[in-house]
Amino acid sequence: MLLLYNTEKLQKIIWEVYNLTGIGIGIFDADFTLILRCPEPLNRFCRMIRSTEEGELRCQRSDAELLSRCVQSGKSETHFCHAGLADTAVPIFNGEVPIGFIIFGQVAENGEGKPSFATLTDNIRNLHIDIAELEEAYDSLLFFDRDKINSAAEILTMLAKQIWLEHMIQPAYNDDFERILEYIESHLGENHTVTSLCRRFNISKNTLYSYFKTHFNCTVSQYINRIRITKAEQLLKTTDLSIYSVCELSGVDNYHYFCRLFKKAKGITPLQYRKQWNREQEHRLQKQT
């Protein structure tokens, strides 16, 4: 799938996160290829590891393994790379299709205390890097406990959704499909069918099916429901509107059907979702203070 990247916005947003946390962040495409990274260059420890051909290969394999786990689970995953650092990856989805990933890390989880450099040397000794210099670089790394790493993963999961919602990464649709998507999103309250869409845009059913299968891995009706649920989520998080109003603004004219649809997608009712979101925000604020 051909993707378009708003590199200016992506660079700015990952710089803001790095500037606040000091944690290195990279944006990867769906093929696990690095698009952007902050900071640039990497920290000294990682630069030394990647300065050897074998070290670079191991880093690439480690990243690919982590991103593959993200694709399989559909959520953020954390592991320790071959050099002993904690890396976390967060998938960016377009429907059910992964279109990119955020990786943050190059930090060492401290657990009960700072890990000894000696515990890492067995994995990296055969890279033929000056161990004394590497230990000095290791000592300059940031160290975070598991709770902070999990908090960062939650924040970047929300960021991944925002990247998709603001189209910082988006598939390069052809003009016909772009018009169909724009029409659906601006007429969410209408009863769209494959037949009505094909008639309006003068395309065959096979072509329409192919568009949605290729770009979203779903049917037309599944896509429309996803858009409605995404709209409802944003309204529940950002407004105090009643559930009835959220239902209406999400393009569903039957309140009970809307609640069933939402619960099927999110596992809880719209009201429970709003309460859970509010509790999480209060908990996050309490932790910050």
Side-chain angles (χ1 to χ4, degrees), residues 43 63 78-79 88 118 127 134 183 203 236-237 244 276 280:
N43 64 67
D63 288 343
T78 299
H79 82 168
T88 300
L127 295 178
L134 196 61
Y183 177 76
I203 61 172
L236 291 168
K237 290 177 181 179
Y244 286 97
Q276 178 177 295
E280 289 174 354

Side-chain angles (χ1 to χ4, degrees), residues 192-289:
H192 303 291
T193 66
V194 171
T195 300
S196 65
L197 290 172
C198 288
R199 184 181 301 116
R200 172 174 286 275
F201 294 97
N202 193 30
I203 61 172
S204 70
K205 290 183 179 180
N206 286 340
T207 299
L208 189 64
Y209 289 140
S210 177
Y211 282 160
F212 281 92
K213 180 65 176 177
T214 299
H215 291 287
F216 301 108
N217 193 33
C218 68
T219 65
V220 177
S221 61
Q222 287 171 335
Y223 171 80
I224 293 171
N225 284 337
R226 286 179 192 170
I227 295 299
R228 287 171 173 165
I229 295 302
T230 298
K231 176 74 172 179
E233 284 185 89
Q234 292 302 307
L235 291 170
L236 291 168
K237 290 177 181 179
T238 60
T239 75
D240 294 323
L241 293 170
S242 69
I243 306 301
Y244 286 97
S245 296
V246 171
C247 166
E248 184 178 42
L249 290 173
S250 300
V252 183
D253 60 4
N254 185 304
Y255 174 78
H256 297 292
Y257 172 70
F258 168 73
C259 290
R260 290 197 303 272
L261 187 67
F262 192 94
K263 186 173 183 179
K264 182 179 180 181
K266 310 306 297 184
I268 53 178
T269 66
L271 182 59
Q272 290 170 332
Y273 182 90
R274 171 176 275 167
K275 289 180 177 179
Q276 178 177 295
W277 170 258
N278 289 337
R279 284 196 301 269
E280 289 174 354
Q281 296 309 297
E282 290 174 4
H283 179 63
R284 188 172 289 109
L285 289 174
Q286 288 172 358
K287 288 174 65 177
Q288 292 175 353
T289 57

Side-chain angles (χ1 to χ4, degrees), residues 3-285:
L3 297 171
L4 302 176
Y5 300 88
N6 188 326
T7 54
E8 183 178 348
K9 282 190 175 182
L10 287 170
Q11 188 69 59
K12 183 178 186 302
I13 202 167
I14 64 174
W15 160 251
E16 296 293 351
V17 175
Y18 169 71
N19 191 40
L20 179 65
T21 65
I23 300 176
I25 300 177
I27 302 286
F28 288 72
D29 67 15
D31 295 320
F32 306 165
T33 301
L34 179 67
I35 302 300
L36 293 169
R37 180 164 55 202
C38 188
E40 190 66 68
L42 292 168
N43 64 67
R44 184 183 171 199
F45 180 82
C46 290
R47 291 203 308 273
M48 292 180 70
I49 294 292
R50 288 179 177 265
S51 67
T52 68
E53 183 177 347
E54 178 62 24
E56 175 66 23
L57 182 60
R58 291 182 189 179
C59 289
Q60 291 177 2
R61 287 174 177 168
S62 181
D63 288 343
E65 177 187 342
L66 178 58
L67 298 180
S68 294
R69 286 171 54 186
C70 268
V71 173
Q72 293 171 3
S73 69
K75 60 182 181 181
S76 65
E77 294 284 347
T78 299
H79 82 168
F80 286 91
C81 74
H82 71 99
L85 304 188
D87 286 327
T88 300
V90 176
I92 304 170
F93 280 99
N94 182 31
E96 293 183 356
V97 179
I99 59 173
F101 303 88
I102 303 172
I103 287 187
F104 71 93
Q106 300 167 359
V107 299
E109 182 187 38
N110 62 7
E112 297 300 322
K114 182 176 178 178
S116 169
F117 177 76
T119 63
L120 309 181
T121 54
D122 287 343
N123 292 335
I124 57 183
R125 192 180 300 279
N126 60 357
L127 295 178
H128 306 297
I129 300 172
D130 185 293
I131 294 299
E133 288 188 26
L134 196 61
E135 183 173 10
E136 182 182 334
Y138 177 76
D139 288 339
S140 68
L141 290 171
L142 295 174
F143 289 81
F144 296 100
D145 60 28
R146 172 60 59 176
D147 187 52
K148 287 186 178 179
I149 290 176
N150 288 340
S151 294
E154 287 186 26
I155 292 171
L156 288 175
T157 297
M158 290 185 283
L159 179 63
K161 291 182 179 179
Q162 196 65 25
I163 286 173
W164 177 72
L165 288 171
E166 293 192 10
H167 307 297
M168 296 182 207
I169 301 177
Q170 60 179 327
Y173 306 128
N174 65 41
D175 291 343
D176 287 340
F177 194 39
E178 187 74 44
R179 284 192 291 270
I180 293 170
L181 296 179
E182 289 176 355
Y183 177 76
I184 289 173
E185 292 189 27
S186 61
H187 297 80
L188 272 181
E190 295 183 12
N191 182 28
H192 303 291
T193 66
V194 171
T195 300
S196 65
L197 290 172
C198 288
R199 184 181 301 116
R200 172 174 286 275
F201 294 97
N202 193 30
I203 61 172
S204 70
K205 290 183 179 180
N206 286 340
T207 299
L208 189 64
Y209 289 140
S210 177
Y211 282 160
F212 281 92
K213 180 65 176 177
T214 299
H215 291 287
F216 301 108
N217 193 33
C218 68
T219 65
V220 177
S221 61
Q222 287 171 335
Y223 171 80
I224 293 171
N225 284 337
R226 286 179 192 170
I227 295 299
R228 287 171 173 165
I229 295 302
T230 298
K231 176 74 172 179
E233 284 185 89
Q234 292 302 307
L235 291 170
L236 291 168
K237 290 177 181 179
T238 60
T239 75
D240 294 323
L241 293 170
S242 69
I243 306 301
Y244 286 97
S245 296
V246 171
C247 166
E248 184 178 42
L249 290 173
S250 300
V252 183
D253 60 4
N254 185 304
Y255 174 78
H256 297 292
Y257 172 70
F258 168 73
C259 290
R260 290 197 303 272
L261 187 67
F262 192 94
K263 186 173 183 179
K264 182 179 180 181
K266 310 306 297 184
I268 53 178
T269 66
L271 182 59
Q272 290 170 332
Y273 182 90
R274 171 176 275 167
K275 289 180 177 179
Q276 178 177 295
W277 170 258
N278 289 337
R279 284 196 301 269
E280 289 174 354
Q281 296 309 297
E282 290 174 4
H283 179 63
R284 188 172 289 109
L285 289 174

